Amino acid sequence: DDQERARGITIFSKQAVFPLGDWEVTLLDTPGHVDFSAEMERTLSVLDYAVLIVSGADGVQGHTETLWRLLKRYQVPVFLLVNKMDQPGTDQEALLLELKKELHENCVDFSDQESAAFAENVAVCDEQVLEQYLAGEAVGTEQIRKLIRERKLFPCYFGSALKMQGVKEFLADFIRYASI
């Protein structure tokens, strides 16, 4: 749309259908700008999952918090993708702390899933999973899927869509952890 190109933002919701692994995914691109939030809110009731894109250069903005509250109201499980991490001054650790403070303490960095810290960070999102973890059990894929679906865990990814950094990893994990 000419207005969208001129402003550099999404104004009208659009959809794209594409294959992702064995799935056929319908992506609903909705406006993120506060002036067009009614257009975005109309799509929330049909979502299985949301991918909330946060600018690494700007961090959590007021409208990001509004979208977060709406996703909570509609009980939509959320994956977070912090984009523009290739820009100067971005700090992954500081951004993760901001996500935890402004959105939810159970925002967990999924960039190093092999570390003990990752398993512990996931385990503390749910009392039962934590008890099993402390008893020596590994945190498994099914547990992670369930925690995401129940909005007890919010996977966070960091990258640059422009430079295709972190995108493949995010998509692979989306296939792995989203369940319908």
Side-chain angles (χ1 to χ4, degrees):
D1 182 82
D2 291 338
Q3 290 179 38
E4 291 176 321
R5 281 190 201 96
R7 291 177 152 195
I9 60 171
T10 301
I11 297 174
F12 305 105
S13 294
K14 294 174 196 63
Q15 73 177 32
V17 179
F18 59 93
L20 184 61
D22 294 334
W23 295 354
E24 182 174 275
V25 173
T26 302
L27 176 70
L28 299 175
D29 181 15
T30 63
H33 193 275
V34 67
D35 291 345
F36 306 103
S37 58
E39 178 75 13
M40 183 276 307
E41 190 171 355
R42 281 193 283 271
T43 66
L44 292 178
S45 64
V46 301
L47 298 181
D48 293 311
Y49 290 87
V51 178
L52 183 59
I53 312 264
V54 176
S55 168
D58 300 326
V60 176
Q61 301 291 298
H63 192 59
T64 309
E65 294 176 41
T66 300
L67 293 171
W68 187 260
R69 286 190 296 274
L70 288 169
L71 291 164
K72 180 180 179 182
R73 179 187 308 156
Y74 287 91
Q75 289 299 296
V76 178
V78 179
F79 288 76
L80 291 115
L81 180 57
V82 181
N83 191 27
K84 301 181 182 179
M85 291 301 294
D86 57 321
Q87 293 190 1
T90 55
D91 180 339
Q92 183 171 327
E93 200 171 302
L95 285 161
L96 181 62
L97 288 173
E98 183 180 5
L99 294 171
K100 287 176 171 288
K101 180 181 177 211
E102 302 298 330
L103 302 181
H104 200 284
E105 64 185 8
N106 291 352
C107 290
V108 174
D109 184 353
F110 268 55
S111 56
D112 185 10
Q113 296 177 39
E114 301 304 317
S115 72
F118 170 77
E120 185 177 321
N121 289 332
V122 170
V124 298
C125 294
D126 180 79
E127 199 170 308
Q128 182 180 356
V129 176
L130 180 59
E131 286 177 17
Q132 293 170 342
Y133 174 75
L134 292 174
E137 293 181 35
V139 177
T141 300
E142 286 305 318
Q143 288 172 307
I144 292 172
R145 284 182 183 156
K146 184 175 187 269
L147 292 173
I148 294 168
R149 204 173 39 250
E150 293 175 352
R151 291 185 45 88
K152 293 181 178 180
L153 170 63
F154 304 96
C156 299
Y157 299 85
F158 298 84
S160 168
L162 182 65
K163 295 186 178 177
M164 290 301 291
Q165 296 169 342
V167 175
K168 288 180 183 177
E169 295 82 358
F170 167 74
L171 291 173
D173 274 2
F174 188 79
I175 292 169
R176 181 178 181 190
Y177 295 123
S179 60
I180 300 172

